[in-house]
Amino acid sequence: EVFMFTRDTALKAKIIYTDSSFLSVFGIHLVSGNKHNCLSNPSSVIISETTAVKLFGNNWREQSILGETLDIDGRIPLIITGVFTDFPEQSHFTRHIFASSPTGYGNWLSDNSKVYTYVLLATHNKPDELDRKIKTTRLNTTDENRMEQISLQPVTRIHLFSSFEDENAQLGSINNIYALFLVSLFRIIITVSSFINL
C-alpha cells in the first residue's frame, strides 16, 4: 500500500502497475479519458469512480480532474489520465488504481516484486497446446539453485481452482463448494426420508 496525495486530500491504497494494453484486454469502461493513450506515458494513472470521489468529492466530474497530479508517497508524481467504472464485487480485479509501468520505482522487476502476466489468445490458438509449449521454457532467477516454470491458467479458473502463490485476486476453494453441496444433499436425503416415514 502507498499514500497518495492531491492538493487537499490524502489516501492510502494499493496500486497495480500495468501497460496500455491492459485496457483493451480486460475491456475496462472509461467514463473519462482516452482509452487508447491514457496509460501510454510512464507517469500516467487511471482511477476508479470510487477513488475519484474519495480524492475530489462527489462533484469530481465538474472539476475536470484529468491532468491533476497524484503524488505517490510524496515523491512520485502521477498524472490522472482516466477514470473508470468500478469493477463488480465478483470481479477478478479488486484494485481501484492502475498506473503505467515502470512508474517511479526503478527496480520494479526485482525479486520482491509480484509480476502477473495476462495473455489474450487468438481464437485459433488452443490453450492446452500452448501451455505444453510454454512449460518447456524455464526462467533463470537470481538464485542459481532455483528455476521458475511458466504455466498458463484461465482467468475464469483462478478464483476457485488456483494453486499459485500470491494470486492477484481474492481466492475461494472448490473443495468448500463440494463440501457444502454434500452437506446440502445429505440434509435433503434426511428430510425426504423423514417425510416418507411420516
PDB file of all heavy atoms in Angstrom, residues 67-81:
ATOM      1  N   GLY A  67      -5.516  15.392 -15.740  1.00  0.00           N
ATOM      2  CA  GLY A  67      -4.375  16.302 -15.716  1.00  0.00           C
ATOM      3  C   GLY A  67      -3.955  16.679 -14.314  1.00  0.00           C
ATOM      4  O   GLY A  67      -2.886  17.268 -14.115  1.00  0.00           O
ATOM      5  N   GLU A  68      -4.788  16.345 -13.322  1.00  0.00           N
ATOM      6  CA  GLU A  68      -4.407  16.605 -11.929  1.00  0.00           C
ATOM      7  C   GLU A  68      -3.245  15.692 -11.533  1.00  0.00           C
ATOM      8  O   GLU A  68      -3.095  14.576 -12.030  1.00  0.00           O
ATOM      9  CB  GLU A  68      -5.589  16.338 -10.986  1.00  0.00           C
ATOM     10  CG  GLU A  68      -6.702  17.353 -11.067  1.00  0.00           C
ATOM     11  CD  GLU A  68      -6.354  18.625 -10.304  1.00  0.00           C
ATOM     12  OE1 GLU A  68      -5.374  18.626  -9.544  1.00  0.00           O
ATOM     13  OE2 GLU A  68      -7.077  19.618 -10.475  1.00  0.00           O
ATOM     14  N   THR A  69      -2.412  16.174 -10.624  1.00  0.00           N
ATOM     15  CA  THR A  69      -1.256  15.399 -10.171  1.00  0.00           C
ATOM     16  C   THR A  69      -1.600  14.618  -8.910  1.00  0.00           C
ATOM     17  O   THR A  69      -2.213  15.144  -7.982  1.00  0.00           O
ATOM     18  CB  THR A  69      -0.063  16.326  -9.875  1.00  0.00           C
ATOM     19  OG1 THR A  69       0.282  17.022 -11.074  1.00  0.00           O
ATOM     20  CG2 THR A  69       1.144  15.523  -9.392  1.00  0.00           C
ATOM     21  N   LEU A  70      -1.202  13.365  -8.909  1.00  0.00           N
ATOM     22  CA  LEU A  70      -1.385  12.486  -7.759  1.00  0.00           C
ATOM     23  C   LEU A  70       0.008  12.072  -7.304  1.00  0.00           C
ATOM     24  O   LEU A  70       0.744  11.405  -8.027  1.00  0.00           O
ATOM     25  CB  LEU A  70      -2.197  11.263  -8.188  1.00  0.00           C
ATOM     26  CG  LEU A  70      -2.728  10.320  -7.124  1.00  0.00           C
ATOM     27  CD1 LEU A  70      -3.691  11.040  -6.197  1.00  0.00           C
ATOM     28  CD2 LEU A  70      -3.428   9.143  -7.786  1.00  0.00           C
ATOM     29  N   ASP A  71       0.413  12.514  -6.106  1.00  0.00           N
ATOM     30  CA  ASP A  71       1.747  12.204  -5.595  1.00  0.00           C
ATOM     31  C   ASP A  71       1.721  10.896  -4.820  1.00  0.00           C
ATOM     32  O   ASP A  71       0.959  10.742  -3.869  1.00  0.00           O
ATOM     33  CB  ASP A  71       2.258  13.324  -4.684  1.00  0.00           C
ATOM     34  CG  ASP A  71       2.626  14.566  -5.464  1.00  0.00           C
ATOM     35  OD1 ASP A  71       3.176  14.415  -6.561  1.00  0.00           O
ATOM     36  OD2 ASP A  71       2.346  15.674  -4.982  1.00  0.00           O
ATOM     37  N   ILE A  72       2.576   9.962  -5.229  1.00  0.00           N
ATOM     38  CA  ILE A  72       2.676   8.663  -4.561  1.00  0.00           C
ATOM     39  C   ILE A  72       3.793   8.742  -3.525  1.00  0.00           C
ATOM     40  O   ILE A  72       4.944   9.025  -3.854  1.00  0.00           O
ATOM     41  CB  ILE A  72       2.970   7.535  -5.565  1.00  0.00           C
ATOM     42  CG1 ILE A  72       1.932   7.538  -6.685  1.00  0.00           C
ATOM     43  CG2 ILE A  72       3.025   6.187  -4.859  1.00  0.00           C
ATOM     44  CD1 ILE A  72       0.522   7.327  -6.233  1.00  0.00           C
ATOM     45  N   ASP A  73       3.437   8.495  -2.277  1.00  0.00           N
ATOM     46  CA  ASP A  73       4.383   8.574  -1.165  1.00  0.00           C
ATOM     47  C   ASP A  73       5.111   9.916  -1.124  1.00  0.00           C
ATOM     48  O   ASP A  73       6.223  10.020  -0.624  1.00  0.00           O
ATOM     49  CB  ASP A  73       5.404   7.424  -1.241  1.00  0.00           C
ATOM     50  CG  ASP A  73       4.784   6.089  -0.865  1.00  0.00           C
ATOM     51  OD1 ASP A  73       3.752   6.093  -0.173  1.00  0.00           O
ATOM     52  OD2 ASP A  73       5.320   5.048  -1.264  1.00  0.00           O
ATOM     53  N   GLY A  74       4.480  10.933  -1.673  1.00  0.00           N
ATOM     54  CA  GLY A  74       5.044  12.276  -1.621  1.00  0.00           C
ATOM     55  C   GLY A  74       6.261  12.497  -2.494  1.00  0.00           C
ATOM     56  O   GLY A  74       6.889  13.552  -2.422  1.00  0.00           O
ATOM     57  N   ARG A  75       6.595  11.530  -3.359  1.00  0.00           N
ATOM     58  CA  ARG A  75       7.812  11.705  -4.159  1.00  0.00           C
ATOM     59  C   ARG A  75       7.673  11.289  -5.615  1.00  0.00           C
ATOM     60  O   ARG A  75       8.538  11.580  -6.441  1.00  0.00           O
ATOM     61  CB  ARG A  75       8.974  10.921  -3.534  1.00  0.00           C
ATOM     62  CG  ARG A  75       8.734   9.439  -3.414  1.00  0.00           C
ATOM     63  CD  ARG A  75       9.805   8.755  -2.572  1.00  0.00           C
ATOM     64  NE  ARG A  75       9.558   7.330  -2.417  1.00  0.00           N
ATOM     65  CZ  ARG A  75       9.989   6.401  -3.246  1.00  0.00           C
ATOM     66  NH1 ARG A  75      10.688   6.758  -4.301  1.00  0.00           N
ATOM     67  NH2 ARG A  75       9.721   5.131  -3.037  1.00  0.00           N
ATOM     68  N   ILE A  76       6.585  10.594  -5.965  1.00  0.00           N
ATOM     69  CA  ILE A  76       6.408  10.172  -7.350  1.00  0.00           C
ATOM     70  C   ILE A  76       5.143  10.817  -7.902  1.00  0.00           C
ATOM     71  O   ILE A  76       4.033  10.420  -7.550  1.00  0.00           O
ATOM     72  CB  ILE A  76       6.288   8.634  -7.452  1.00  0.00           C
ATOM     73  CG1 ILE A  76       7.526   7.972  -6.858  1.00  0.00           C
ATOM     74  CG2 ILE A  76       6.111   8.209  -8.903  1.00  0.00           C
ATOM     75  CD1 ILE A  76       7.420   6.472  -6.763  1.00  0.00           C
ATOM     76  N   PRO A  77       5.283  11.827  -8.756  1.00  0.00           N
ATOM     77  CA  PRO A  77       4.100  12.492  -9.309  1.00  0.00           C
ATOM     78  C   PRO A  77       3.514  11.701 -10.479  1.00  0.00           C
ATOM     79  O   PRO A  77       4.222  11.304 -11.405  1.00  0.00           O
ATOM     80  CB  PRO A  77       4.652  13.842  -9.779  1.00  0.00           C
ATOM     81  CG  PRO A  77       6.093  13.571 -10.081  1.00  0.00           C
ATOM     82  CD  PRO A  77       6.539  12.476  -9.150  1.00  0.00           C
ATOM     83  N   LEU A  78       2.209  11.452 -10.407  1.00  0.00           N
ATOM     84  CA  LEU A  78       1.495  10.793 -11.490  1.00  0.00           C
ATOM     85  C   LEU A  78       0.402  11.722 -11.997  1.00  0.00           C
ATOM     86  O   LEU A  78      -0.200  12.466 -11.224  1.00  0.00           O
ATOM     87  CB  LEU A  78       0.858   9.477 -11.014  1.00  0.00           C
ATOM     88  CG  LEU A  78       1.799   8.407 -10.464  1.00  0.00           C
ATOM     89  CD1 LEU A  78       0.994   7.192 -10.021  1.00  0.00           C
ATOM     90  CD2 LEU A  78       2.824   7.999 -11.511  1.00  0.00           C
ATOM     91  N   ILE A  79       0.145  11.664 -13.281  1.00  0.00           N
ATOM     92  CA  ILE A  79      -0.891  12.485 -13.883  1.00  0.00           C
ATOM     93  C   ILE A  79      -2.134  11.632 -14.107  1.00  0.00           C
ATOM     94  O   ILE A  79      -2.070  10.574 -14.740  1.00  0.00           O
ATOM     95  CB  ILE A  79      -0.420  13.077 -15.234  1.00  0.00           C
ATOM     96  CG1 ILE A  79       0.905  13.824 -15.059  1.00  0.00           C
ATOM     97  CG2 ILE A  79      -1.495  13.986 -15.817  1.00  0.00           C
ATOM     98  CD1 ILE A  79       0.842  14.972 -14.093  1.00  0.00           C
ATOM     99  N   ILE A  80      -3.274  12.064 -13.574  1.00  0.00           N
ATOM    100  CA  ILE A  80      -4.526  11.339 -13.770  1.00  0.00           C
ATOM    101  C   ILE A  80      -4.970  11.517 -15.216  1.00  0.00           C
ATOM    102  O   ILE A  80      -5.201  12.623 -15.684  1.00  0.00           O
ATOM    103  CB  ILE A  80      -5.615  11.846 -12.809  1.00  0.00           C
ATOM    104  CG1 ILE A  80      -5.187  11.605 -11.355  1.00  0.00           C
ATOM    105  CG2 ILE A  80      -6.951  11.147 -13.091  1.00  0.00           C
ATOM    106  CD1 ILE A  80      -6.140  12.188 -10.331  1.00  0.00           C
ATOM    107  N   THR A  81      -5.061  10.389 -15.941  1.00  0.00           N
ATOM    108  CA  THR A  81      -5.408  10.432 -17.360  1.00  0.00           C
ATOM    109  C   THR A  81      -6.737   9.737 -17.658  1.00  0.00           C
ATOM    110  O   THR A  81      -7.162   9.701 -18.812  1.00  0.00           O
ATOM    111  CB  THR A  81      -4.302   9.783 -18.202  1.00  0.00           C
ATOM    112  OG1 THR A  81      -4.055   8.457 -17.711  1.00  0.00           O
ATOM    113  CG2 THR A  81      -3.011  10.591 -18.124  1.00  0.00           C
TER     114      THR A  81
END
